[in-house]
């Protein structure tokens, strides 16, 4: 066993490696994190294509149809808002530019707690600020500006402040794993980002349809781990599921007889390994079609038919 003494050369090597990782990510992702200006307000945004496709928070752009994008090198670009999704606090903006530095979206489903998380944005107007921490938790639920819960949210202790909204939360590989969205006032080290897989879903919908279309069950859920025997009994390969913690009155889930505390295992035979995967299953093609929800309730497996509706 290697004994590492405080102040040893090994400690210095580890700190240098950590510092080097953060610096490389800042150099890779930082040029693609812009300032988003709307009137007297501002936030951050992440450039995802060389011709100026930018993702930010919906609360950053508000009801504006146009905004101004300021790149880290000082260039100012006019931009139009292509679409917003208050349910996930995301917005897609198209800037009038070309040959822009871009960031790459990573796979947030592959994240683990404890991984390095690096936040890049414009807190309090201080452009291109970098803070670092870890992924504190996964699968959180956070109330969006629309009042509905954003599912599959990443919790991090990388410091965020007003103005960081819409900026990048990056992994040690230099990939954007989330878009920073909120902090808890008065709390230390409790900050949140919308997972990159949710960002990709919203981006695709806005580009294809001008808005996000999704089916609606009327429930909120968190990720939960299953005992092996339960997963086996349900015929699941995964040991993750979604535990329901809120039901909207008279919504599809309520009408189907689902309850708070039920563990949703699958929908029409497709595994529900968490709130994020559930959102993916609720595509526009599911609207109006009755699906069989397999749930765990009080140690019993139940199949309940539920009919998703179009989310207004």
């Amino acid at each position: 066993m290697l004994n590492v003494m405080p102040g040893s050369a090994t400690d210095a090597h580890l700190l240098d490696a950590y510092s080097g990782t953060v610096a490389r990510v800042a150099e890779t992702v930082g040029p693609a994190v812009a300032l988003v200006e709307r009137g007297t307000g501002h936030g951050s945004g992440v450039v995802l294509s060389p011709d100026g496709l930018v993702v930010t928070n919906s609360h950053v752009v508000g009801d504006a149809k146009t905004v101004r994008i300021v790149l880290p090198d000082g260039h100012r670009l006019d931009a139009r808002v292509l679409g917003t999704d208050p349910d996930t606090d995301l917005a897609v903006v198209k800037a009038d530019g070309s040959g822009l530095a871009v960031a790459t979206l990573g796979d947030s489903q592959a994240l683990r707690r404890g991984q390095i998380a690096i936040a890049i944005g414009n807190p309090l107007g201080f452009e291109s600020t970098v803070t670092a921490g870890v992924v504190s938790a996964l699968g959180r639920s956070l109330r969006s500006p629309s009042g509905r819960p954003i599912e599959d949210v990443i919790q991090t202790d990388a410091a965020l402040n007003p103005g960081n909204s819409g900026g990048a939360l990056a992994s040690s590989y230099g990939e954007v794993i989330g878009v920073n969205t909120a902090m808890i006032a008065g709390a230390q080290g409790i900050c949140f980002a919308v997972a990159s897989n949710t960002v990709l879903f919203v981006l695709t919908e806005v580009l294809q349809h001008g808005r996000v279309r999704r089916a609606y069950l009327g429930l909120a859920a968190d990720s939960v781990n299953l005992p092996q025997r339960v997963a086996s009994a349900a015929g699941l390969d995964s040991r993750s599921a979604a535990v329901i913690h809120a039901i909207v009155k008279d919504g599809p889930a309520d009408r189907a007889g689902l309850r708070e505390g039920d563990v949703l295992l699958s929908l029409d035979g497709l595994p529900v390994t968490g709130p994020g995967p559930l959102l993916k299953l609720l595509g526009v093609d599911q609207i109006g079609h009755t699906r069989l929800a397999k749930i765990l309730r009080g140690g019993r497996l139940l199949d309940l038919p539920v009919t998703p509706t179009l989310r207004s």
Side-chain angles (χ1 to χ4, degrees), residues 178-192:
V179 169
N180 299 319
T181 189
M183 62 176 182
I184 296 180
Q188 296 292 322
I190 303 180
C191 305
F192 300 97

Side-chain angles (χ1 to χ4, degrees), residues 264-285:
L264 182 57
L265 305 173
S266 65
L267 195 63
D268 241 25
L270 298 175
V272 176
T273 57
L278 176 59
L279 286 176
K280 287 186 177 180
L281 293 177
L282 294 176
V284 67
D285 57 325

Side-chain angles (χ1 to χ4, degrees), residues 19-34 45-48 72 100-105 118 120 128 130 168-176:
S19 297
T21 296
V22 175
R24 283 193 299 273
V25 172
E27 291 167 356
T28 300
V29 181
V33 178
V46 184
V47 181
L48 296 179
L100 306 185
V102 301
T104 301
L105 289 177
I118 300 148
I120 306 175
S128 302
V130 178
L169 186 69
S171 71
S172 58
Y173 299 105
E175 296 177 327
V176 175

Side-chain angles (χ1 to χ4, degrees), residues 96-273:
D96 296 330
S98 62
L100 306 185
V102 301
T104 301
L105 289 177
D107 180 8
S108 55
Q109 192 65 28
L111 291 175
R112 294 183 301 165
R113 287 183 300 169
Q115 284 186 236
I116 293 175
I118 300 148
I120 306 175
N122 305 288
L124 302 173
F126 294 101
E127 297 180 22
S128 302
T129 296
V130 178
T131 57
V134 297
V135 172
S136 304
L138 297 165
R140 294 298 197 207
S141 180
L142 182 69
R143 189 167 298 279
S144 70
S146 71
R148 289 169 171 156
I150 310 172
E151 304 294 357
D152 202 23
V153 171
I154 300 167
Q155 181 182 328
T156 178
D157 66 349
L160 301 178
N161 287 284
N164 267 118
S165 294
L169 186 69
S171 71
S172 58
Y173 299 105
E175 296 177 327
V176 175
I177 54 174
V179 169
N180 299 319
T181 189
M183 62 176 182
I184 296 180
Q188 296 292 322
I190 303 180
C191 305
F192 300 97
V194 180
S196 58
N197 288 6
T198 301
V199 175
L200 181 59
F201 166 73
V202 170
L203 179 64
T204 302
E205 281 288 300
V206 169
L207 291 180
Q208 291 183 350
H209 307 289
R211 68 184 184 97
V212 177
R213 307 171 304 156
R214 56 171 67 91
Y216 175 64
L217 286 180
L219 60 82
D222 289 321
S223 297
V224 67
N225 291 324
L226 298 172
Q228 182 61 55
R229 59 180 180 78
V230 173
S232 299
L236 301 174
D237 294 328
S238 172
R239 292 182 57 185
S240 319
V243 59
I244 300 172
H245 64 76
I247 297 283
V248 176
K249 184 175 176 56
D250 295 326
D254 187 30
R255 292 193 293 269
L258 274 72
R259 305 174 186 169
E260 293 181 16
D262 286 347
V263 177
L264 182 57
L265 305 173
S266 65
L267 195 63
D268 241 25
L270 298 175
V272 176
T273 57

